Amino acid sequence: MSKLLSLCIPTNGIDEVFDVLDSIYCQGISEDLYEVVVTDNGADFHFFQKMNEFVSLHSNCIYARTSAVLFANQIECFDRATAPLIKFINHRMVLMPGSLAKFIQFANDNLEEKPVIYYANGSLKTNELVELSSFDSFVKTLGYQSSWSGGLCIWKDHYAKTDLSAGVNRLFPHCDILFSQRDSSSYFIDNRRYLDELSSGHSKKGSYDLFEAFAVEYPSIILDLYRDGDISSETLLSVLDTNLSFIATLVFKFLILKEPCSYDLSRFSDTVVVFYSKKRIYERIIGLSFKKVFGFPE
């Protein structure tokens, strides 16, 4: 049987990748059914050596070094995938037992219809598996979760038709891919947990401007969907509201509690006023804290 699934792991050469790879290969699935693609934009020669040793043991593992900057490495990885279904795997998230078989089963069962699928990994307050009939309802149900690249999955045929000629968003290239699927008749959100994050905190997760990303860039992407007529005003406001709650948690963690992180936080005051305001953010922090203390549903 031909390979059904490509697991794409873009990385900057961190050792956690080998934990991710081990979690894939320990599941005992025939290597004829899937491939693993690792693209590396780091500069660690030790990592390069270890990856080459790993590839020599697994015929279905592809490793390539790249000069793609930051999140553009995701696109580089997808470009190298060859199987019918492409699944993004974050380089700090291991596959839980049985996950690989379920990904492959979905690919095999849906080769003809090719519905849009997003793996929310238990992050949403929805049923385990939700089927939606419109792009608008898909975007609304995902809320700010669509900003998470780890849930991305796309059929190779659909990816090949995605027009990326004008370039991709430098912070959210996966959104260009996810939101290219606007005319499907069937959308699935799988909210079951397939991945488990390795505990590394936020101290080594990149030095990009955190609040530019989530308070300016991501809301702008959602606004463009509305301007293009692909989502309703109700969905626009709903996603912006869930994103406000997410920003509030970031402010609480990194600016109030001062948890260690590698992000650039210096432009908080300039960026949060583009779509929101400091007042709304701090009101949301108070509201979320109140609900948590008294056990009310958020």
Side-chain angles (χ1 to χ4, degrees), residues 251 256 268 277-287:
V251 172
I256 296 177
F268 165 70
S277 68
K278 287 185 179 180
K279 179 182 177 182
R280 289 185 65 196
I281 290 170
Y282 287 115
E283 286 176 345
R284 186 59 57 91
I285 291 173
I286 293 170

Side-chain angles (χ1 to χ4, degrees), residues 265-282:
L265 309 176
S266 63
R267 297 180 63 238
F268 165 70
S269 296
D270 297 327
T271 55
V272 295
V273 296
V274 176
F275 281 89
Y276 305 101
S277 68
K278 287 185 179 180
K279 179 182 177 182
R280 289 185 65 196
I281 290 170
Y282 287 115

Side-chain angles (χ1 to χ4, degrees), residues 243-269:
N243 189 56
L244 173 60
S245 294
F246 178 59
I247 292 171
T249 64
L250 297 178
V251 172
F252 185 70
K253 283 182 177 180
F254 303 125
L255 295 183
I256 296 177
L257 297 182
K258 298 188 181 302
E259 292 183 8
C261 72
S262 59
Y263 310 120
D264 179 1
L265 309 176
S266 63
R267 297 180 63 238
F268 165 70
S269 296

